[in-house]
PDB file of all heavy atoms in Angstrom:
ATOM      1  N   THR B 174      63.236  13.493   0.005  1.00  0.00           N
ATOM      2  CA  THR B 174      62.199  13.510   1.047  1.00  0.00           C
ATOM      3  C   THR B 174      60.779  13.770   0.407  1.00  0.00           C
ATOM      4  O   THR B 174      59.867  12.980   0.909  1.00  0.00           O
ATOM      5  CB  THR B 174      62.522  14.673   2.086  1.00  0.00           C
ATOM      6  OG1 THR B 174      63.801  14.558   2.478  1.00  0.00           O
ATOM      7  CG2 THR B 174      61.662  14.504   3.235  1.00  0.00           C
ATOM      8  N   PRO B 175      60.549  14.681  -0.500  1.00  0.00           N
ATOM      9  CA  PRO B 175      59.235  14.800  -1.112  1.00  0.00           C
ATOM     10  C   PRO B 175      58.795  13.415  -1.677  1.00  0.00           C
ATOM     11  O   PRO B 175      57.569  13.152  -1.400  1.00  0.00           O
ATOM     12  CB  PRO B 175      59.385  15.822  -2.287  1.00  0.00           C
ATOM     13  CG  PRO B 175      60.602  16.600  -1.753  1.00  0.00           C
ATOM     14  CD  PRO B 175      61.513  15.677  -1.114  1.00  0.00           C
ATOM     15  N   VAL B 176      59.511  12.812  -2.448  1.00  0.00           N
ATOM     16  CA  VAL B 176      59.105  11.466  -2.970  1.00  0.00           C
ATOM     17  C   VAL B 176      58.752  10.448  -1.855  1.00  0.00           C
ATOM     18  O   VAL B 176      57.779   9.702  -2.009  1.00  0.00           O
ATOM     19  CB  VAL B 176      60.260  10.793  -4.021  1.00  0.00           C
ATOM     20  CG1 VAL B 176      59.810   9.467  -4.528  1.00  0.00           C
ATOM     21  CG2 VAL B 176      60.320  11.867  -5.234  1.00  0.00           C
ATOM     22  N   ALA B 177      59.680  10.418  -0.823  1.00  0.00           N
ATOM     23  CA  ALA B 177      59.340   9.526   0.256  1.00  0.00           C
ATOM     24  C   ALA B 177      58.032   9.831   0.935  1.00  0.00           C
ATOM     25  O   ALA B 177      57.214   8.978   1.166  1.00  0.00           O
ATOM     26  CB  ALA B 177      60.485   9.645   1.320  1.00  0.00           C
ATOM     27  N   LEU B 178      57.811  11.087   1.164  1.00  0.00           N
ATOM     28  CA  LEU B 178      56.457  11.569   1.799  1.00  0.00           C
ATOM     29  C   LEU B 178      55.345  11.121   0.696  1.00  0.00           C
ATOM     30  O   LEU B 178      54.303  10.809   1.233  1.00  0.00           O
ATOM     31  CB  LEU B 178      56.434  13.105   2.085  1.00  0.00           C
ATOM     32  CG  LEU B 178      57.296  13.425   3.289  1.00  0.00           C
ATOM     33  CD1 LEU B 178      57.270  15.040   3.356  1.00  0.00           C
ATOM     34  CD2 LEU B 178      56.581  12.925   4.563  1.00  0.00           C
ATOM     35  N   MET B 179      55.488  11.350  -0.425  1.00  0.00           N
ATOM     36  CA  MET B 179      54.574  10.943  -1.417  1.00  0.00           C
ATOM     37  C   MET B 179      54.207   9.483  -1.266  1.00  0.00           C
ATOM     38  O   MET B 179      53.092   9.101  -1.153  1.00  0.00           O
ATOM     39  CB  MET B 179      55.119  11.201  -2.865  1.00  0.00           C
ATOM     40  CG  MET B 179      54.052  10.818  -3.934  1.00  0.00           C
ATOM     41  SD  MET B 179      54.783  11.106  -5.453  1.00  0.00           S
ATOM     42  CE  MET B 179      55.486   9.625  -5.804  1.00  0.00           C
ATOM     43  N   LEU B 180      55.233   8.682  -1.153  1.00  0.00           N
ATOM     44  CA  LEU B 180      55.017   7.190  -1.083  1.00  0.00           C
ATOM     45  C   LEU B 180      54.270   6.833   0.349  1.00  0.00           C
ATOM     46  O   LEU B 180      53.299   6.049   0.270  1.00  0.00           O
ATOM     47  CB  LEU B 180      56.256   6.400  -1.187  1.00  0.00           C
ATOM     48  CG  LEU B 180      56.984   6.472  -2.509  1.00  0.00           C
ATOM     49  CD1 LEU B 180      58.409   5.820  -2.440  1.00  0.00           C
ATOM     50  CD2 LEU B 180      56.151   5.888  -3.575  1.00  0.00           C
ATOM     51  N   VAL B 181      54.651   7.567   1.373  1.00  0.00           N
ATOM     52  CA  VAL B 181      54.029   7.391   2.579  1.00  0.00           C
ATOM     53  C   VAL B 181      52.494   7.741   2.489  1.00  0.00           C
ATOM     54  O   VAL B 181      51.711   6.924   3.011  1.00  0.00           O
ATOM     55  CB  VAL B 181      54.705   8.114   3.746  1.00  0.00           C
ATOM     56  CG1 VAL B 181      53.854   8.087   4.984  1.00  0.00           C
ATOM     57  CG2 VAL B 181      56.149   7.631   3.989  1.00  0.00           C
ATOM     58  N   THR B 182      52.291   8.901   1.906  1.00  0.00           N
ATOM     59  CA  THR B 182      50.815   9.381   1.744  1.00  0.00           C
ATOM     60  C   THR B 182      50.047   8.358   0.926  1.00  0.00           C
ATOM     61  O   THR B 182      48.892   8.055   1.374  1.00  0.00           O
ATOM     62  CB  THR B 182      50.734  10.649   1.076  1.00  0.00           C
ATOM     63  OG1 THR B 182      51.736  11.468   1.727  1.00  0.00           O
ATOM     64  CG2 THR B 182      49.353  11.216   1.337  1.00  0.00           C
ATOM     65  N   LEU B 183      50.624   7.919  -0.112  1.00  0.00           N
ATOM     66  CA  LEU B 183      49.843   6.853  -0.998  1.00  0.00           C
ATOM     67  C   LEU B 183      49.621   5.609  -0.156  1.00  0.00           C
ATOM     68  O   LEU B 183      48.550   4.985  -0.254  1.00  0.00           O
ATOM     69  CB  LEU B 183      50.686   6.478  -2.279  1.00  0.00           C
ATOM     70  CG  LEU B 183      50.799   7.523  -3.364  1.00  0.00           C
ATOM     71  CD1 LEU B 183      51.839   7.104  -4.404  1.00  0.00           C
ATOM     72  CD2 LEU B 183      49.458   7.602  -3.961  1.00  0.00           C
ATOM     73  N   ALA B 184      50.665   5.150   0.725  1.00  0.00           N
ATOM     74  CA  ALA B 184      50.518   3.953   1.422  1.00  0.00           C
ATOM     75  C   ALA B 184      49.263   4.208   2.507  1.00  0.00           C
ATOM     76  O   ALA B 184      48.449   3.256   2.790  1.00  0.00           O
ATOM     77  CB  ALA B 184      51.733   3.546   2.191  1.00  0.00           C
ATOM     78  N   ALA B 185      49.424   5.420   3.136  1.00  0.00           N
ATOM     79  CA  ALA B 185      48.341   5.738   4.093  1.00  0.00           C
ATOM     80  C   ALA B 185      46.878   5.706   3.545  1.00  0.00           C
ATOM     81  O   ALA B 185      46.044   5.238   4.142  1.00  0.00           O
ATOM     82  CB  ALA B 185      48.665   7.135   4.823  1.00  0.00           C
ATOM     83  N   THR B 186      46.929   6.370   2.316  1.00  0.00           N
ATOM     84  CA  THR B 186      45.525   6.338   1.651  1.00  0.00           C
ATOM     85  C   THR B 186      44.986   5.010   1.414  1.00  0.00           C
ATOM     86  O   THR B 186      43.883   4.641   1.667  1.00  0.00           O
ATOM     87  CB  THR B 186      45.675   7.162   0.386  1.00  0.00           C
ATOM     88  OG1 THR B 186      46.333   8.366   0.553  1.00  0.00           O
ATOM     89  CG2 THR B 186      44.290   7.489  -0.320  1.00  0.00           C
ATOM     90  N   MET B 187      45.930   4.065   0.919  1.00  0.00           N
ATOM     91  CA  MET B 187      45.600   2.787   0.620  1.00  0.00           C
ATOM     92  C   MET B 187      45.074   2.110   1.953  1.00  0.00           C
ATOM     93  O   MET B 187      44.032   1.350   1.843  1.00  0.00           O
ATOM     94  CB  MET B 187      46.727   2.083  -0.020  1.00  0.00           C
ATOM     95  CG  MET B 187      46.323   0.946  -0.849  1.00  0.00           C
ATOM     96  SD  MET B 187      47.570  -0.050  -1.561  1.00  0.00           S
ATOM     97  CE  MET B 187      48.487   0.981  -2.741  1.00  0.00           C
ATOM     98  N   LEU B 188      45.805   2.272   2.941  1.00  0.00           N
ATOM     99  CA  LEU B 188      45.472   1.631   4.234  1.00  0.00           C
ATOM    100  C   LEU B 188      44.100   2.136   4.703  1.00  0.00           C
ATOM    101  O   LEU B 188      43.243   1.305   5.050  1.00  0.00           O
ATOM    102  CB  LEU B 188      46.454   1.998   5.241  1.00  0.00           C
ATOM    103  CG  LEU B 188      46.259   1.316   6.591  1.00  0.00           C
ATOM    104  CD1 LEU B 188      46.727  -0.118   6.538  1.00  0.00           C
ATOM    105  CD2 LEU B 188      47.099   2.053   7.704  1.00  0.00           C
ATOM    106  N   LEU B 189      43.892   3.365   4.650  1.00  0.00           N
ATOM    107  CA  LEU B 189      42.552   3.932   5.108  1.00  0.00           C
ATOM    108  C   LEU B 189      41.395   3.386   4.215  1.00  0.00           C
ATOM    109  O   LEU B 189      40.426   2.923   4.751  1.00  0.00           O
ATOM    110  CB  LEU B 189      42.642   5.508   4.853  1.00  0.00           C
ATOM    111  CG  LEU B 189      41.249   6.264   5.020  1.00  0.00           C
ATOM    112  CD1 LEU B 189      40.855   6.147   6.511  1.00  0.00           C
ATOM    113  CD2 LEU B 189      41.341   7.711   4.713  1.00  0.00           C
ATOM    114  N   LEU B 190      41.544   3.450   2.832  1.00  0.00           N
ATOM    115  CA  LEU B 190      40.527   3.062   1.975  1.00  0.00           C
ATOM    116  C   LEU B 190      40.226   1.550   2.068  1.00  0.00           C
ATOM    117  O   LEU B 190      39.119   1.113   2.034  1.00  0.00           O
ATOM    118  CB  LEU B 190      40.777   3.501   0.581  1.00  0.00           C
ATOM    119  CG  LEU B 190      40.545   5.084   0.396  1.00  0.00           C
ATOM    120  CD1 LEU B 190      40.955   5.315  -1.140  1.00  0.00           C
ATOM    121  CD2 LEU B 190      39.286   5.511   0.630  1.00  0.00           C
ATOM    122  N   ARG B 191      41.273   0.824   2.099  1.00  0.00           N
ATOM    123  CA  ARG B 191      41.032  -0.721   2.062  1.00  0.00           C
ATOM    124  C   ARG B 191      40.873  -1.349   3.353  1.00  0.00           C
ATOM    125  O   ARG B 191      39.925  -2.190   3.493  1.00  0.00           O
ATOM    126  CB  ARG B 191      42.355  -1.374   1.423  1.00  0.00           C
ATOM    127  CG  ARG B 191      42.382  -0.969  -0.107  1.00  0.00           C
ATOM    128  CD  ARG B 191      43.548  -1.971  -0.605  1.00  0.00           C
ATOM    129  NE  ARG B 191      43.359  -2.168  -1.969  1.00  0.00           N
ATOM    130  CZ  ARG B 191      44.186  -2.884  -2.738  1.00  0.00           C
ATOM    131  NH1 ARG B 191      45.238  -3.449  -2.163  1.00  0.00           N
ATOM    132  NH2 ARG B 191      43.930  -3.072  -3.985  1.00  0.00           N
ATOM    133  N   ALA B 192      41.713  -1.110   4.280  1.00  0.00           N
ATOM    134  CA  ALA B 192      41.678  -1.852   5.606  1.00  0.00           C
ATOM    135  C   ALA B 192      40.923  -1.229   6.774  1.00  0.00           C
ATOM    136  O   ALA B 192      40.413  -2.016   7.590  1.00  0.00           O
ATOM    137  CB  ALA B 192      43.168  -2.154   5.977  1.00  0.00           C
ATOM    138  N   MET B 193      40.656   0.043   6.741  1.00  0.00           N
ATOM    139  CA  MET B 193      40.131   0.624   7.974  1.00  0.00           C
ATOM    140  C   MET B 193      38.621   0.624   7.792  1.00  0.00           C
ATOM    141  O   MET B 193      38.013   0.829   6.686  1.00  0.00           O
ATOM    142  CB  MET B 193      40.639   2.033   8.118  1.00  0.00           C
ATOM    143  CG  MET B 193      42.167   1.876   8.497  1.00  0.00           C
ATOM    144  SD  MET B 193      42.717   3.451   9.047  1.00  0.00           S
ATOM    145  CE  MET B 193      42.066   3.646  10.593  1.00  0.00           C
ATOM    146  N   SER B 194      37.921   0.580   8.906  1.00  0.00           N
ATOM    147  CA  SER B 194      36.430   0.581   8.912  1.00  0.00           C
ATOM    148  C   SER B 194      35.891   1.927   8.236  1.00  0.00           C
ATOM    149  O   SER B 194      34.973   1.917   7.494  1.00  0.00           O
ATOM    150  CB  SER B 194      35.926   0.514  10.260  1.00  0.00           C
ATOM    151  OG  SER B 194      36.351  -0.600  10.991  1.00  0.00           O
ATOM    152  N   ALA B 195      36.692   3.083   8.688  1.00  0.00           N
ATOM    153  CA  ALA B 195      36.253   4.372   8.046  1.00  0.00           C
ATOM    154  C   ALA B 195      36.421   4.350   6.570  1.00  0.00           C
ATOM    155  O   ALA B 195      35.523   4.883   5.940  1.00  0.00           O
ATOM    156  CB  ALA B 195      37.204   5.385   8.639  1.00  0.00           C
TER     157      ALA B 195
END
Side-chain angles (χ1 to χ4, degrees):
Chain B
T174 313
V176 173
L178 280 174
M179 176 182 94
L180 294 176
V181 169
T182 314
L183 283 171
T186 310
M187 207 186 288
L188 184 77
L189 170 68
L190 287 178
R191 284 191 157 181
M193 295 188 73
S194 303

